[in-house]
Amino acid sequence: MSEVIKAEWFDLEASSKEEVWSWLHDTYLPSVRAVSGVAWVGHYDIVPIPDKPYIEGAPMRRETTDSSIPNGGQNVILTAALSPEVYFGTDNGIEALADTHAEMLGQLKGYRSAVYIEEQVINSPEQRASPYGMGPPPAMQLGNYHVDNPDDETELARWYRQERFARVSVTQGMVRGRKMLSMAGWPKHGVLWEFTDLPEGEFTFEHRFVAADRNENWPGRHVLEYVTHAPGSPHAGRLVWPRTS
């Protein structure tokens, strides 16, 4: 059974971060996790992206310039459910919780969300560290983006299958990769790369994918030439709730 992933991005005022984190971890997120149909919930502290290419020689990532799109990204909450009904059905528990806690949720700055269905899931060497459906991974990278035109959609689909998925299956420290499509929210495409750790000083896992080269010799364009990311995307971070130890 596939999972339906809701992603929520937001910032917090420095003066309220400790209070809001405590409320999220002690009250709100445990309540979300208890909603019928929810499989797991994870809160991630996101590492800022420096203004430079991921990999030397690669193109710079391009972000949307649409000022109407909220730009929060210091925090990401991922919620996995068994069906879209958990998010969109009538009288659902997640909407009720949001209404009950509207005042505290109002402190989430630059908030936006998206709901994704899985296009494909690829298991990786460390899948035993976090079996599918058992909970959020210790570290992750979440990309969310559009492409420029319909022809790019075809090239993107081929690139994933001829280059990236092959590397995902052998990438060091990786649990699994999920290529996703959005049901709701700004992005059309999403990727969730799940890892066992994100070492201090690192802000991306792209160098691990480079190291996992399997002589694919992709003949097309670099994906960053035709992809437009959401603000701050991709977001890489470490799990802060629930704690694993």
Side-chain angles (χ1 to χ4, degrees):
M1 179 180 293
S2 62
E3 294 179 327
V4 184
I5 304 290
K6 181 177 183 180
E8 301 172 89
W9 298 263
F10 60 92
D11 294 342
L12 292 169
E13 299 287 354
S15 59
S16 64
K17 177 180 175 179
E18 183 176 351
E19 174 193 4
V20 176
W21 272 31
S22 294
W23 167 75
L24 285 171
H25 300 169
D26 296 339
T27 302
Y28 186 68
L29 295 181
S31 297
V32 172
R33 188 171 57 182
V35 169
S36 178
V38 170
W40 53 263
V41 183
H43 175 201
Y44 291 85
D45 188 21
I46 301 303
V47 178
I49 300 177
D51 187 22
K52 64 179 183 180
Y54 298 149
I55 302 298
E56 186 176 352
M60 284 288 292
R61 49 185 282 281
R62 182 176 63 202
E63 286 188 16
T64 178
T65 57
D66 186 344
S67 61
S68 70
I69 301 171
N71 61 1
Q74 297 171 353
N75 299 262
V76 168
I77 292 173
L78 298 179
T79 302
L82 304 179
S83 166
E85 270 60 41
V86 174
Y87 307 115
F88 305 117
T90 58
D91 301 321
N92 71 74
I94 289 180
E95 285 185 354
L97 282 171
D99 291 341
T100 299
H101 296 282
E103 183 175 355
M104 286 296 291
L105 290 172
Q107 297 191 55
L108 311 186
K109 307 300 182 183
Y111 175 90
R112 65 186 176 89
S113 66
V115 175
Y116 296 101
I117 57 175
E118 293 174 344
E119 174 187 337
Q120 192 156 338
V121 177
I122 305 92
N123 287 324
S124 303
E126 298 299 327
Q127 60 179 299
R128 63 182 179 179
S130 183
Y132 187 91
M134 296 296 288
M140 66 85 190
Q141 181 170 301
L142 176 65
N144 53 119
Y145 55 89
H146 283 287
V147 297
D148 290 342
N149 59 62
D151 288 341
D152 296 331
E153 303 278 9
T154 301
E155 183 163 2
L156 182 73
R158 289 173 174 162
W159 175 76
Y160 274 115
R161 285 153 182 83
Q162 296 180 33
E163 198 260 41
R164 182 50 54 102
F165 290 167
R167 298 188 185 199
V168 165
S169 67
V170 296
T171 294
Q172 180 182 7
M174 195 166 187
V175 175
R176 72 182 53 82
R178 308 184 198 220
K179 172 63 179 67
M180 307 182 295
L181 296 171
S182 175
M183 296 181 64
W186 177 84
K188 177 176 181 180
H189 296 276
V191 288
L192 178 60
W193 305 139
E194 304 180 28
F195 283 85
T196 57
D197 69 328
L198 176 60
E200 290 295 330
E202 295 191 7
F203 64 93
T204 180
F205 295 101
E206 288 301 316
H207 61 287
R208 299 198 198 186
F209 293 127
V210 171
D213 184 359
R214 303 180 73 181
N215 297 316
E216 295 85 8
N217 297 317
W218 167 246
R221 296 172 293 167
H222 195 290
V223 68
L224 291 179
E225 293 181 31
Y226 57 91
V227 161
T228 300
H229 281 271
S233 170
H235 297 84
R238 304 177 185 92
L239 185 69
V240 292
W241 187 90
R243 296 190 180 279
T244 57
S245 59

